[in-house]
Amino acid sequence: MDIVRDPLWNNIRLDPLALALVDTGAMQRLRYVRQLGLAHLVYPGATHTRFEHALGTHHLARLTLAILNERGDLRSLSVEEPAVIQAAALLHDIGHYPFAHALEEIGAPHHEDVGQTLITTGDVARLLSERVAPDAPQRVAALVRGQSDSPLQGLISGSLDLDKIEYLKRDALMCGVPYGQIDVDRLLNSLTVVRAEAKSERAVVGITEKGLSALESLLFAKYQMYRNVYWHHAVRSATAMYKRAVGEALGTGALDVRRLPRFTDEQLLQHLTEVAPSDLVTRLRERRLYKRAFECPAAELPQDAGEWIASDRARTAAAERVLAGELGLRADELLLDYPEKTQMLDLDLPVQLRSGEVTRLTSEGLPGVIHLPELSAQLYRSARWLRIFTARPVVFTKQRVIELLFA
Amino acid sequence: MDIVRDPLWNNIRLDPLALALVDTGAMQRLRYVRQLGLAHLVYPGATHTRFEHALGTHHLARLTLAILNERGDLRSLSVEEPAVIQAAALLHDIGHYPFAHALEEIGAPHHEDVGQTLITTGDVARLLSERVAPDAPQRVAALVRGQSDSPLQGLISGSLDLDKIEYLKRDALMCGVPYGQIDVDRLLNSLTVVRAEAKSERAVVGITEKGLSALESLLFAKYQMYRNVYWHHAVRSATAMYKRAVGEALGTGALDVRRLPRFTDEQLLQHLTEVAPSDLVTRLRERRLYKRAFECPAAELPQDAGEWIASDRARTAAAERVLAGELGLRADELLLDYPEKTQMLDLDLPVQLRSGEVTRLTSEGLPGVIHLPELSAQLYRSARWLRIFTARPVVFTKQRVIELLFA
Amino acid sequence: MDIVRDPLWNNIRLDPLALALVDTGAMQRLRYVRQLGLAHLVYPGATHTRFEHALGTHHLARLTLAILNERGDLRSLSVEEPAVIQAAALLHDIGHYPFAHALEEIGAPHHEDVGQTLITTGDVARLLSERVAPDAPQRVAALVRGQSDSPLQGLISGSLDLDKIEYLKRDALMCGVPYGQIDVDRLLNSLTVVRAEAKSERAVVGITEKGLSALESLLFAKYQMYRNVYWHHAVRSATAMYKRAVGEALGTGALDVRRLPRFTDEQLLQHLTEVAPSDLVTRLRERRLYKRAFECPAAELPQDAGEWIASDRARTAAAERVLAGELGLRADELLLDYPEKTQMLDLDLPVQLRSGEVTRLTSEGLPGVIHLPELSAQLYRSARWLRIFTARPVVFTKQRVIELLFA
Amino acid sequence: MDIVRDPLWNNIRLDPLALALVDTGAMQRLRYVRQLGLAHLVYPGATHTRFEHALGTHHLARLTLAILNERGDLRSLSVEEPAVIQAAALLHDIGHYPFAHALEEIGAPHHEDVGQTLITTGDVARLLSERVAPDAPQRVAALVRGQSDSPLQGLISGSLDLDKIEYLKRDALMCGVPYGQIDVDRLLNSLTVVRAEAKSERAVVGITEKGLSALESLLFAKYQMYRNVYWHHAVRSATAMYKRAVGEALGTGALDVRRLPRFTDEQLLQHLTEVAPSDLVTRLRERRLYKRAFECPAAELPQDAGEWIASDRARTAAAERVLAGELGLRADELLLDYPEKTQMLDLDLPVQLRSGEVTRLTSEGLPGVIHLPELSAQLYRSARWLRIFTARPVVFTKQRVIELLFA
């Protein structure tokens, strides 16, 4: 057992397999991919990387497996399942692009698909198949993609996965905001393996009733982090600038999408400077971000308006051209931004009541627990904003924006 | 300037007046009155006292006044107003009974009324009138009672008073629960003196729009503390036992209500043992608490049912007799408990928008901010429980309880 | 497994035996005995009790045993040894007098002797013998007294016992001083069972070379806590006043030494007020402490002078009378204080080097490690002060004090 | 006033001048220069940069100036002195090379000399001279170089400068080690302006007697950080590899020393890969560090041996060739390392005693304070190690190393 020190968890234990996986080139690259992309331009402390996050998620997996084991929840699983789960926790972000999630929003393959290749071929695959089981690479990759039928799938990807607990706490710590206070110990101790449905044979990870209050703490933390950090206007501006710069380079062929997962953050910026120089990249380097020309919370927009902005790149580009034209700006001087709704407060989880009965925590809520769907709807209305960023200071009226976008 | 160390705020500065006030007998008594009454029987760390809380509230007042002063918000106030406010912060709990708020629920005079006397007479009054202003004792007492017309009244008593920030953070720390994460620095920096209403001349403490997210953190913390600590079933059971024991002693005349504010926690228990020995007091000493015979969240009760339980002692006593009779228990073996609604999430506060405009954060909410009244209603439904505690293990059905109580 | 929340360790797990022991009257009394006696008069947050400390020590024992077990260090021990050790950790302070260690300095039996009776008779003994082993009460008592031949004796009482780690961290937290930063996780992970001496058959708890740096952190913390808290002049003054008051009451027979271990802090003060009223007790209640009339660090005293002050009560009393006479004070108006040397930095511990070799960390030090005896001597010279406290403001010259005391 | 969030200090206030300075290209580059160079290869959390450290040092300067001002210590200074000091705190590391201090050890100009140019020319100089005073650039540069005659020089560079407090705490936090516990609040409150010597007219920053205990906490923290982080064997190995790679590139002319201060960390590594590809750079990228072939604490070396290793590059290179030859290694496969002595525990500081008298805390120590020179000598003996790192696993005997190096 080796021990790695960590600002969040203090001491992280790594067994020989974890150490060997960490030493692969694919994992070492994560040392140079920041966890929060360009957020460090707004929260200077946010220089932490996918590497530390991967170690932390592995750490939580090890703790959780020990708890489940003590409770007898692992008895029906194969003997190598814990090693598979721990490997999946460590490797879950191995396919990440430079600057985090941003590029997936412009149509690059999802990082978990990229990860599939990195896990099932090369050094990682060799280590997993030699030291765990011949089919371990495939099992790990399935877990990372959320497509495993392991009862423990929920630990790696799901409503209450360990990834989420880790990044909320780490991001809050590194950004210096007091919003990551999750009752982790209580939460992990409340995880349990239960039947997926009342009469189902399928076993899945659920939570005991005693953990519901800790689960609320997770939801509050998540909401606060979205509102204050992930969806902070300047973070969104920098990210929109980056997406546009990369999108243009991909569009002209200057940049090859297949090379993307090999770059570190700094290497990609350097590469862009060389193959597709643009004002956007220069501005990011010098931290001269586009400013808000307009912003408006979801609560003030027409019901369900604008959901296409995050998903339909062509329609969004057309809208951006219209908006820019209206103000006499060049196309690359205006960016339209509306965060994807689906990232924030999903929750679909079996709950084991004190009586032993299992129910699901979804649309209808449970008495004695916050009515989560209502809460979630409330929170979106306040945290999610439509914004227009521009290179030069201009101002839109709300009426005009709504006419141009949603008429 | 003297410095006192503190587990929460680390270094608390006390000027000579504060030191002199702290040295009075009335303030020294607070060293022996626990902040959370009997909660230490459930959260062993909760041995902290009203004394530390008073120092901490004074500390926050000093910080807040410095911020308001830097911003020019104190210019129109009298020169001694800061000293008056700081004294009020220090003295605001001086009239507290042993074991915190419990006795007010059984009809003893409110602690702020008791405080009135302690502030306007004796050593405290002498210090205030000699060192601050002749009318300082009256001004401090008015602030503590929430009846001052000082623009800074809101710092001492109101929707967002410093008292609340202090106790939420301190109680969370001492109970060992991760629920006190309030963005204090941001919150204090957002306090400002504004007009009470659009056209009013009256100045009051409000909050700037930049502070709304920090205000949300306060509300989440408050909800979580009520749900997990203040309204924890075993804390409520111990408190109900204590209230009954004191209530009986007051009823028989064994205990004189006028002596109550002189006792420390331990002195009162000792006194009860001598003048009104009862099984309840013995059980508290030995931590043999009454257990839940029934519990049910507000969400499952008839709309607005049971609001009389916390306020109408006679009707509650009658209901308890009926319930006890039903199960063959003695009257002192059953306690009915339903926390007062009004303690949790009130909010009525002027907000200064970026535009400079002032609005109120109340019934209708603000766009871009959580809809607080809706949130508040949601939170009550999950945090507030009707409970029946009994000396011996018995069980009620929900149907029968509702018939007996609300038919 | 029940979970208790704690400000220091957050979640403390208690198994059914621990819960049953905690429920005994002898353990419940510890809820009302403050960990640091009268230090709360100087550090207001120091209201924490022996009860929380006992839970915390039990917690560390559970963690340490799990680590030792994982490493195979428990293999040669009896199956019930872990339960015995955990019980000893929980019960190690059960015989403590009101206000901590002070009374042992005036000749009352040592608290571990009092504990012997409480552990080997009554409820505690019954629980231990029924649930662990017939001889468990005697084995636990021997551990608490430091007289067990268990290889794990060192965890309960010794140079690096868990008690020390617990109280240094808890006391620092509650006093609000930043001096308790011990590398606990590393320290516990470095504990190991080794041969006591190179050729000895006897196994004892030692430390691996990897833990030496963490051990240094413990020593620095200990020095800083003595210098700033335990030997703070006002804490020493209050303690000296208390010792004198109790000493007088014992001397006149107003107080019976055999009753001492039954009292809580507040009960003893109340009892003294009734049976042996004195100015000293009133002053403690009102926090009017004796002030320093003289103080001088050990570094400036004649070599080895004054070691009798803490141990020879009669000689000290005579010296106090001489000093008081010199200044026209009554005997009860002057207190002479010089902390016992032996409490601070003892260290005698086997160290397992990387090579596997075991050596002892004592008088000669180890290369690559701070030379502890030299460091310790240095630290005493700066932290340990001879002081004279008086009821009225008077001043001694150093020369005169040395003449009167050491001539 | 703008507020920047920070993981260490939470909220850092920046006035308009600070904001403008931060926006210069020279300051923005520091976002991409890690505070601890290659330590992140050992402590993965250590991705923090000179940029955050600069903001934090500015923050401490602002706090300290407010304290000194409240105490009247700034009265005799020019009105713009506080702005000069705050600018110097912000800009003190502006000339830093990629990967921190390492390159200075191989003969590159000291970063404070590089900083001189960046402060006295270009955007920074323009901002300082326009907004503070015409001679502000020169005054700031003199402070950064430690050559100012400002009484506040000691805040920027000296035995107890704010830089040190900041980096010790930040580095400990980010490395995840519990060794940064400095009593900052007490320390800052103890800083004061005093006469440099008893009869001197010159005013300098000193410390009051009340702060000595906090000063001890700084020294303990510093020792522990050197022992566990800065002088950690793997950190030293990576740094030695980097120094060798850059040294070779400078030697062959592939790299121009004048360009060094323009690079970010990642740009320099990328540049080296292109202009001077070597196994050393590849190994750093892939984290395949040279291992210890020999190590030995200073305590076991001949008195004062080896002091030339850190300073005399030519002699060291010759010694390395001899050592490599002995083992049949290529010259670039062996690195000799012995940290510079002068970095650790210097202390030369005026202390203002309670009596008002000012003395110096240097060679002779003060009674009642740890004897610092003795302590310092002790600490070096345990923390400072001579090491030989090699590309392949070989082993030296101590006797042979000493013969080859010091005979």
Side-chain angles (χ1 to χ4, degrees), chain D residues 157-203:
Chain D
S157 173
S159 289
L160 178 56
D161 55 34
L162 302 174
D163 176 31
K164 229 175 243 91
I165 298 175
E166 221 283 337
Y167 74 69
L168 288 173
K169 277 192 82 76
R170 187 175 299 275
D171 294 347
L173 172 68
M174 301 303 290
C175 289
V177 296
Y179 300 131
Q181 213 58 1
I182 301 165
D183 200 349
V184 177
D185 193 86
R186 173 65 55 107
L187 210 44
L188 299 192
N189 272 283
S190 306
L191 294 177
T192 182
V193 175
V194 298
R195 290 167 188 278
E197 320 280 346
K199 291 175 187 171
S200 162
E201 285 299 295
R202 199 160 61 88

Side-chain angles (χ1 to χ4, degrees), chain A residues 210-366:
Chain A
K210 273 213 152 183
L212 288 173
S213 186
L215 181 62
E216 290 175 7
S217 76
L218 179 78
L219 291 174
F220 290 148
K222 201 170 174 187
Y223 162 71
Q224 290 178 305
M225 286 303 288
Y226 271 94
R227 178 156 159 76
N228 291 285
V229 176
Y230 307 144
W231 289 350
H232 184 284
H233 65 88
V235 174
R236 294 299 304 183
S237 172
T239 307
M241 292 169 71
Y242 169 74
K243 287 195 297 188
R244 178 70 68 86
V246 176
E248 298 288 325
L250 290 173
T252 64
L255 183 64
D256 180 348
V257 72
R258 288 165 305 182
R259 287 192 58 189
L260 274 180
R262 300 288 169 95
F263 284 110
T264 66
D265 286 4
E266 295 303 304
Q267 285 169 345
L268 180 56
L269 281 193
Q270 186 72 19
H271 188 69
L272 282 179
T273 308
E274 290 162 13
V275 303
S278 80
D279 192 42
L280 285 162
V281 174
T282 311
R283 280 175 156 257
L284 283 176
R285 262 288 166 244
E286 300 173 355
R287 202 199 176 283
R288 291 183 291 112
L289 307 182
Y290 283 19
K291 301 294 184 197
R292 284 169 287 180
F294 172 77
E295 69 176 354
C296 169
E300 294 192 354
L301 294 179
Q303 182 81 18
D304 295 326
E307 296 300 340
W308 49 269
I309 293 174
S311 58
D312 185 342
R313 181 65 205 127
R315 184 172 170 192
T316 304
E320 288 175 328
R321 278 191 298 273
V322 170
L323 291 164
E326 171 93 1
L327 294 167
L329 296 170
R330 290 199 319 269
D332 66 347
E333 292 184 318
L334 182 144
L335 302 162
L336 179 60
D337 185 61
Y338 195 46
E340 265 192 285
K341 183 163 185 180
T342 50
Q343 295 170 320
M344 193 162 68
L345 281 183
D346 296 343
L347 200 66
D348 180 1
L349 202 66
V351 178
Q352 186 171 48
L353 303 180
R354 260 170 224 153
S355 62
E357 192 193 343
V358 172
T359 182
R360 280 195 93 79
L361 189 65
T362 47
S363 54
E364 284 314 297
L366 286 176

Side-chain angles (χ1 to χ4, degrees), chain A residues 140-204:
Chain A
V140 168
L143 282 161
V144 168
R145 303 186 70 178
Q147 297 169 351
S148 166
D149 54 3
S150 164
L152 303 182
Q153 169 68 70
L155 297 182
I156 302 304
S157 173
S159 288
L160 177 56
D161 55 34
L162 303 173
D163 175 31
K164 230 174 242 91
I165 297 176
E166 221 284 337
Y167 74 68
L168 289 173
K169 278 192 82 75
R170 187 175 299 274
D171 294 347
L173 172 68
M174 301 302 291
C175 289
V177 296
Y179 298 132
Q181 213 59 1
I182 300 166
D183 200 349
V184 177
D185 192 86
R186 174 63 55 106
L187 210 44
L188 298 191
N189 272 283
S190 306
L191 294 176
T192 182
V193 176
V194 298
R195 291 166 187 279
E197 320 280 344
K199 292 173 186 172
S200 162
E201 286 299 294
R202 200 159 61 87
V204 296

Side-chain angles (χ1 to χ4, degrees), chain C residues 8-9 11 17 42 45 84 101 167 219 221 246 291 293 301 372 395:
Chain C
L8 181 59
W9 306 112
N11 288 277
L17 172 60
V42 181
V84 169
H101 291 276
Y167 74 69
L219 291 175
V246 176
K291 301 294 182 197
L301 293 179
L372 292 161
V395 177

Side-chain angles (χ1 to χ4, degrees), chain C residues 141-162:
Chain C
L143 283 160
V144 168
R145 304 185 71 178
Q147 297 170 349
S148 167
D149 54 4
S150 165
L152 304 181
Q153 169 69 69
L155 297 182
I156 301 305
S157 173
S159 288
L160 178 56
D161 55 34
L162 303 173

Side-chain angles (χ1 to χ4, degrees), chain D residues 108-342:
Chain D
H110 196 275
H111 77 88
E112 283 148 9
D113 299 326
V114 179
Q116 163 96 7
T117 310
L118 290 169
I119 290 166
T120 56
T121 61
D123 286 350
V124 171
R126 187 180 45 72
L127 285 165
L128 290 175
S129 55
E130 282 176 19
R131 302 209 192 171
V132 182
D135 64 347
Q138 282 65 39
R139 287 161 66 183
V140 168
L143 282 161
V144 168
R145 303 186 71 179
Q147 297 169 350
S148 167
D149 55 3
S150 164
L152 303 182
Q153 168 69 69
L155 297 182
I156 302 304
S157 173
S159 289
L160 178 56
D161 55 34
L162 302 174
D163 176 31
K164 229 175 243 91
I165 298 175
E166 221 283 337
Y167 74 69
L168 288 173
K169 277 192 82 76
R170 187 175 299 275
D171 294 347
L173 172 68
M174 301 303 290
C175 289
V177 296
Y179 300 131
Q181 213 58 1
I182 301 165
D183 200 349
V184 177
D185 193 86
R186 173 65 55 107
L187 210 44
L188 299 192
N189 272 283
S190 306
L191 294 177
T192 182
V193 175
V194 298
R195 290 167 188 278
E197 320 280 346
K199 291 175 187 171
S200 162
E201 285 299 295
R202 199 160 61 88
V204 296
V205 173
I207 190 170
T208 62
E209 194 176 348
K210 272 214 153 183
L212 288 174
S213 186
L215 181 62
E216 289 174 7
S217 76
L218 179 79
L219 291 175
F220 290 149
K222 201 170 174 188
Y223 163 71
Q224 290 178 305
M225 286 303 288
Y226 271 94
R227 177 156 159 76
N228 291 286
V229 176
Y230 307 144
W231 289 351
H232 183 283
H233 65 88
V235 173
R236 293 299 303 183
S237 172
T239 307
M241 292 169 71
Y242 168 74
K243 286 195 298 188
R244 178 71 66 89
V246 176
E248 299 288 326
L250 290 172
T252 64
L255 183 63
D256 180 349
V257 72
R258 288 164 306 182
R259 287 193 58 189
L260 274 181
R262 298 288 168 95
F263 285 110
T264 66
D265 285 4
E266 296 303 305
Q267 284 169 346
L268 179 57
L269 279 193
Q270 186 72 22
H271 188 69
L272 281 180
T273 308
E274 290 161 14
V275 304
S278 80
D279 192 42
L280 286 161
V281 174
T282 311
R283 289 180 82 127
L284 283 176
R285 261 288 168 244
E286 300 173 356
R287 204 200 175 282
R288 292 183 292 113
L289 307 182
Y290 282 20
K291 301 294 183 197
R292 285 170 285 181
F294 172 77
E295 69 176 355
C296 170
E300 295 193 353
L301 293 179
Q303 184 81 16
D304 294 326
E307 296 299 342
W308 48 270
I309 293 175
S311 57
D312 185 340
R313 181 64 206 127
R315 183 171 171 194
T316 304
E320 288 173 328
R321 278 191 299 273
V322 169
L323 292 163
E326 169 93 359
L327 294 166
L329 295 170
R330 290 197 320 268
D332 65 346
E333 292 184 317
L334 182 144
L335 303 162
L336 179 59
D337 186 61
Y338 196 46
E340 264 192 286
K341 185 164 184 181
T342 50

